[in-house]
């Protein structure tokens, strides 16, 4: 396995692509396509299938024979000692073309397998990328929460010194700060394992990776209802139908007679016992032969097999189309649900922030319980973490929709 060592500095910037916040990850796509061993194997299989087209153009082997007469037959012009022959069988008109067409159709199927695998790889890379993005967002939120708790600790210490609060409030903050730090470490571990899996997916080894995480967007656009496009997984069945039809055409051509052209050459020894015309004249005998299938049951059986293949492919295509349409509808609804959830979480987070500000002011004037403030702070943290998950789900479902509608670039 060729593992490429790289040093990557990734900038997470939430741009706008097709009305949706996203990160340009074309570089990772190209890197994965270059390094992924499964994709390379499929490419080699396509090259192999393409080479079979050249093989299909070849004629059958030329037959060359030589024989020695054990008992030399004596003819009027002399004795025959050896015999040489050469023969070339020629397929019926159009059979070579039929073989080429069939080989070409199989090469097209192999190419579509590569296209499908490439799109699936891009889908996996994009979804893994968004999961990493969500983890970095959550780690950043926890880091901000730790800083905020430190500021609350200063307020609580000032209140304790002024005799307006209890030292229990400071201990609560310490407990909450330890909890936030532990959660941040857990997410860091998840991120490291996710990054390792991500770089295994693109078959590269990261030596340094840093992320700059921007603010989450305020709102997400409503996705338009998608329509299943000319998907490569369905296009593959068109190529398979064509390959079966070409295989049947080849089968019919194979049932036709074959023509053989040959030449026999027999050197003749010159007679020494008498003088006659053409004594010792060699024999040259051009030959034409025909080969035809007397029993046609194998060809009829192949015709029936091809009919069964066509029927099976039609059923598989309908099943695959239904599945893709179901996946598309589910992904679109999932994206819409993630958008609704993100909007609700955003509104609740804003309301929670306002409540925290009110409680903080009231706490400083001894009009609020510090426990209520910590409870609201925990709620805000939960909402912000869920917002990142909703945003990542929106992006992941969106990229799945793009995959299913055969969006260019995925």
């Amino acid at each position: 396995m060729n593992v490429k060592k790289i040093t990557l500095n990734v900038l997470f910037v939430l741009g706008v692509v097709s009305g949706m916040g996203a990160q340009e990850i074309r570089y990772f796509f190209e890197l994965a396509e270059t390094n992924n061993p499964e994709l390379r194997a499929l490419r080699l299989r396509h090259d192999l299938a393409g080479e079979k087209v050249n093989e299909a153009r070849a004629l059958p082997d030329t037959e060359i024979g030589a024989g020695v007469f054990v008992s030399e037959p004596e003819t009027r012009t002399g004795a025959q000692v050896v015999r040489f022959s050469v023969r070339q069988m020629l397929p019926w008109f159009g059979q070579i073309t039929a073989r080429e067409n069939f080989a070409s159709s199989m090469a097209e199927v192999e190419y579509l397998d590569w296209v499908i695998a490439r799109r699936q790889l891009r889908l996996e890379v994009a979804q893994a990328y968004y999961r990493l993005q969500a983890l970095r967002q959550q780690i950043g939120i926890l880091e901000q929460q730790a800083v905020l708790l430190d500021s609350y600790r200063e307020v609580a210490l000032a209140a304790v010194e002024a005799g307006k609060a209890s030292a229990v409030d400071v201990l609560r903050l310490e407990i909450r700060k330890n909890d936030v730090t532990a959660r941040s470490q857990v997410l860091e571990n998840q991120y490291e394992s996710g990054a390792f899996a991500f770089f295994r997916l693109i078959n590269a080894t990261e030596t340094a990776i840093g992320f700059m995480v921007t603010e989450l967007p305020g709102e997400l656009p409503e996705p338009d209802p998608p329509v299943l496009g000319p998907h490569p997984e369905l296009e593959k069945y068109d190529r398979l139908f064509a390959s079966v039809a070409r295989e049947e055409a080849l089968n019919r051509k194979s049932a036709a007679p074959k023509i053989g052209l040959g030449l026999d050459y027999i050197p003749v020894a010159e007679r020494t016992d008498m003088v006659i015309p053409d004594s010792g004249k060699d024999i040259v005998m051009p030959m034409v032969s025909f080969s035809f299938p007397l029993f046609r049951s194998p060809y009829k059986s192949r015709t029936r097999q091809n009919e069964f293949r066509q029927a099976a492919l039609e059923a598989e295509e309908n099943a695959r189309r239904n599945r893709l349409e179901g996946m598309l509808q589910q992904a679109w609804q999932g994206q819409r649900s993630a958008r609704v959830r993100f909007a609700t979480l955003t509104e609740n987070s804003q309301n929670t922030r306002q409540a925290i500000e009110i409680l903080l002011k009231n706490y400083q004037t001894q009009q609020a319980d510090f426990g209520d403030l910590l409870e609201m702070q925990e709620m805000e943290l939960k909402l912000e973490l869920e917002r990142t998950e909703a945003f990542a789900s929106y992006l992941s479902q969106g990229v799945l929709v793009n995959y299913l509608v055969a969006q260019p670039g995925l």
Side-chain angles (χ1 to χ4, degrees), residues 130-189:
Y130 293 138
R131 286 194 294 270
L132 288 176
Q133 177 179 248
L135 286 173
R136 289 312 309 178
Q137 290 280 359
Q138 291 178 341
I139 292 172
I141 291 172
L142 289 172
E143 290 174 350
Q144 295 175 2
Q145 184 77 6
V147 173
L148 195 59
L149 289 174
D150 287 337
S151 65
Y152 289 171
R153 185 174 183 277
E154 297 296 328
V155 174
L157 286 174
V160 170
E161 292 177 358
K164 299 179 180 180
S166 169
V168 175
D169 294 342
V170 179
L171 294 176
R172 287 179 179 177
L173 282 169
E174 291 289 347
I175 295 172
R176 182 60 55 83
K177 175 70 178 299
N178 293 336
D179 179 64
V180 168
T181 302
R183 292 165 72 175
S184 180
Q185 291 176 351
V186 170
L187 291 181
E188 285 283 0
N189 294 335

Side-chain angles (χ1 to χ4, degrees), residues 3 13 20 47 85 88 101 115 118 137 252 269 275 290 304 318 376-377:
V3 179
V13 179
M20 151 180 146
D47 295 340
S85 64
Q88 176 65 60
N101 292 338
V115 171
R118 182 187 63 178
Q137 290 280 359
R252 293 179 181 177
V275 177
F290 289 90
R304 290 291 296 163
N318 291 333
M376 293 302 296
Q377 193 68 40

